[in-house]
Amino acid sequence: MPLYLALVHYPVSNKKGEVVATSITNLDIHDLARSAKTFGAQGVFFVTPVPSQQWFARRIIVHWSKGVGAVYNPTRKVAVELVRLVNDLPAVADAIRAETGRDPRFAATTAKQRPNAMAFAELRRQIESSDEPYCLVFGTGWGLQAELFEQMDFVLEPIRGPGDYNHLSVRSAVAIVLDRLMGRAAQQNEPENQ
Amino acid sequence: MPLYLALVHYPVSNKKGEVVATSITNLDIHDLARSAKTFGAQGVFFVTPVPSQQWFARRIIVHWSKGVGAVYNPTRKVAVELVRLVNDLPAVADAIRAETGRDPRFAATTAKQRPNAMAFAELRRQIESSDEPYCLVFGTGWGLQAELFEQMDFVLEPIRGPGDYNHLSVRSAVAIVLDRLMGRAAQQNEPENQ
């Protein structure tokens, strides 16, 4: 049941397929934190081994969770408090194990259809019925490095619309994946006669 | 069936409930365009009467749809081409009428539960079964000015997660609303034996 997110900035692909480290983006911190809080995730890991990137991200996190921003916007504070900075995915696993006592199941996300991809409905059922922690892994740049997929427990099916175009921003993809796994229809829970 | 988006920068509320004009954000242009293209929307209207804001947004749109950006990233080009700049919602209605020959039905979105809000499933059915154009209206800042809701044809129910927190970014909200109305599960349409 406990659900976590990881946004990987290294190792990811660039446009040419080379392995690179991308920069952490201010709006990614805010948008992923707010989506995570809305859909009940326990934590959002920003993954980068680059010290200057961690320093930059930590300034943003501290401003909104402890500094002037926390007073200005308390709803932002409780979201940004979910964000953690780590060097790599093993550090994500360590942190989740320390919090939950169990190893997380890592689910890679991708815009491409891959063999044996898990359907959203199936993962939703698993999360609802299991006590195991799950961690959804998202890539930046042109996506997670190919070899990372081998280290995941499974891959989630891509998001699709009515056509073939599916070049969503990572902010949009995270929002949709969380909604598909954890979202509610407001009126479902509020019948008129209750 | 034709579906449009409008992102309103004026008139919207600020934190104190005052009516203000917000700034157009570079990432809103990209994220909304990419979500719109993924989910089959016909156009994305950025609504502001402020000339300097329209000038700024037009530079971004031209760069990615006709300039160097269009060559660098063709998938971005076909998304950003959906973006139009208009002064107000009547101009949105005019543009949609010119394209489709029909008046659009305007659906306001909000994070608050409002009386007679339409369920996502109901709007999805209407869009699928009707020839009328629909336009989903999103606010920036602290949300659409209260009186704008009176001018809408209806209001859509808020997005909900498992709890009460629902402070999504507008980029995330647009992505989720489009997915709930137009999204597909990839594996639904790709049975193994075909």
Side-chain angles (χ1 to χ4, degrees), chain A residues 3 20 23 35 75 86-87 104 153 168 185 193:
Chain A
L3 184 65
V20 294
S23 297
S35 291
T75 59
V86 293
N87 288 338
D153 293 292
L168 294 165
N193 298 325

Side-chain angles (χ1 to χ4, degrees), chain A residues 64-76:
Chain A
W64 290 101
S65 64
K66 296 191 175 68
V68 175
V71 177
Y72 174 74
N73 191 337
T75 59
R76 195 65 59 94

Side-chain angles (χ1 to χ4, degrees), chain A residues 127-138:
Chain A
I127 291 173
E128 281 170 0
S129 64
S130 158
D131 291 334
E132 283 187 293
Y134 285 82
C135 182
L136 306 167
V137 182
F138 293 84

Side-chain angles (χ1 to χ4, degrees), chain A:
Chain A
M1 186 64 180
L3 184 65
Y4 295 84
L5 305 177
L7 184 64
V8 176
H9 295 80
Y10 176 88
V12 294
S13 299
N14 69 4
K15 198 185 170 192
K16 299 176 188 168
E18 297 157 347
V19 177
V20 294
T22 57
S23 297
I24 293 180
T25 303
N26 177 39
L27 272 187
D28 286 356
I29 295 175
H30 288 278
D31 283 15
L32 268 61
R34 295 163 75 181
S35 291
K37 189 73 187 170
T38 297
F39 292 106
Q42 313 288 307
V44 183
F45 294 92
F46 276 64
V47 180
T48 178
V50 181
S52 61
Q53 285 292 311
Q54 290 203 5
W55 177 85
F56 162 75
R58 200 172 310 277
R59 279 177 59 96
I60 295 169
I61 295 166
V62 167
H63 173 81
W64 290 101
S65 64
K66 296 191 175 68
V68 175
V71 177
Y72 174 74
N73 191 337
T75 59
R76 195 65 59 94
K77 168 181 152 71
V78 297
V80 172
E81 281 173 345
L82 296 178
V83 179
R84 340 260 179 94
L85 296 167
V86 293
N87 288 338
D88 50 28
L89 288 174
V92 172
D94 289 344
I96 294 175
R97 199 181 307 110
E99 269 186 34
T100 66
R102 303 185 68 158
D103 283 319
R105 286 177 63 72
F106 281 108
T109 64
T110 169
K112 297 194 186 73
Q113 182 68 47
R114 292 177 68 99
N116 305 315
M118 188 180 287
F120 283 99
E122 170 58 22
L123 181 55
R124 183 169 179 129
R125 271 192 298 274
Q126 284 196 16
I127 291 173
E128 281 170 0
S129 64
S130 158
D131 291 334
E132 283 187 293
Y134 285 82
C135 182
L136 306 167
V137 182
F138 293 84
T140 55
W142 264 253
L144 295 168
Q145 187 203 11
E147 285 145 36
L148 268 190
F149 287 97
E150 310 306 317
Q151 303 168 30
M152 301 287 115
D153 293 292
F154 55 91
V155 178
L156 196 53
E157 65 175 336
I159 295 164
R160 277 195 48 196
D164 290 332
Y165 186 98
N166 70 341
H167 300 278
L168 294 165
S169 77
V170 76
R171 295 167 291 284
S172 302
V174 166
I176 292 169
V177 168
L178 284 173
D179 183 51
R180 287 188 175 197
L181 298 177
M182 307 288 283
R184 304 282 185 272
Q187 298 188 338
Q188 242 176 24
N189 300 326
E190 291 164 18
E192 277 179 49
N193 298 325
Q194 286 196 344

Side-chain angles (χ1 to χ4, degrees), chain A residues 15 72 75 117 165 179-180, chain B residues 15 72 75 165 179-180 187:
Chain A
K15 198 185 170 192
Y72 174 74
T75 59
Y165 186 98
D179 183 51
R180 287 188 175 197
Chain B
K15 198 183 170 191
Y72 174 73
T75 60
Y165 186 97
D179 183 52
R180 287 187 176 197
Q187 297 188 335

Side-chain angles (χ1 to χ4, degrees), chain B:
Chain B
M1 187 65 180
L3 184 64
Y4 295 84
L5 306 177
L7 184 63
V8 176
H9 296 80
Y10 176 87
V12 294
S13 299
N14 70 4
K15 198 183 170 191
K16 299 175 187 169
E18 298 157 347
V19 177
V20 294
T22 56
S23 297
I24 293 180
T25 303
N26 176 39
L27 271 187
D28 286 356
I29 295 175
H30 289 277
D31 283 15
L32 268 62
R34 295 163 74 181
S35 291
K37 190 72 187 171
T38 297
F39 291 106
Q42 313 288 309
V44 183
F45 295 92
F46 276 66
V47 180
T48 178
V50 181
S52 61
Q53 285 293 310
Q54 289 202 7
W55 177 84
F56 163 74
R58 201 172 310 276
R59 279 178 59 96
I60 294 168
I61 295 166
V62 167
H63 174 80
W64 289 101
S65 63
K66 296 191 175 67
V68 175
V71 178
Y72 174 73
N73 191 337
T75 60
R76 194 65 60 94
K77 167 183 153 69
V78 296
V80 172
E81 281 174 344
L82 296 177
V83 179
R84 340 261 178 93
L85 297 166
V86 293
N87 287 337
D88 49 29
L89 288 175
V92 173
D94 289 344
I96 295 175
R97 199 181 308 111
E99 270 186 33
T100 66
R102 304 185 68 159
D103 284 320
R105 288 178 62 73
F106 281 108
T109 63
T110 170
K112 298 195 185 71
Q113 182 68 48
R114 293 177 68 100
N116 305 315
M118 187 181 287
F120 282 99
E122 169 59 21
L123 181 55
R124 184 169 178 127
R125 270 192 298 273
Q126 285 196 16
I127 291 172
E128 281 170 2
S129 63
S130 158
D131 291 334
E132 285 186 293
Y134 286 83
C135 182
L136 306 167
V137 182
F138 293 85
T140 54
W142 264 254
L144 294 168
Q145 186 204 14
E147 285 146 37
L148 267 191
F149 287 98
E150 312 305 319
Q151 303 167 31
M152 301 287 115
D153 293 293
F154 56 91
V155 179
L156 196 53
E157 66 176 335
I159 295 164
R160 277 194 49 196
D164 290 333
Y165 186 97
N166 69 340
H167 300 277
L168 294 166
S169 77
V170 76
R171 295 167 289 285
S172 301
V174 166
I176 292 169
V177 168
L178 284 173
D179 183 52
R180 287 187 176 197
L181 298 176
M182 306 289 284
R184 304 281 185 272
Q187 297 188 335
Q188 244 176 23
N189 299 328
E190 291 166 15
E192 277 179 51
N193 299 325
Q194 287 194 342

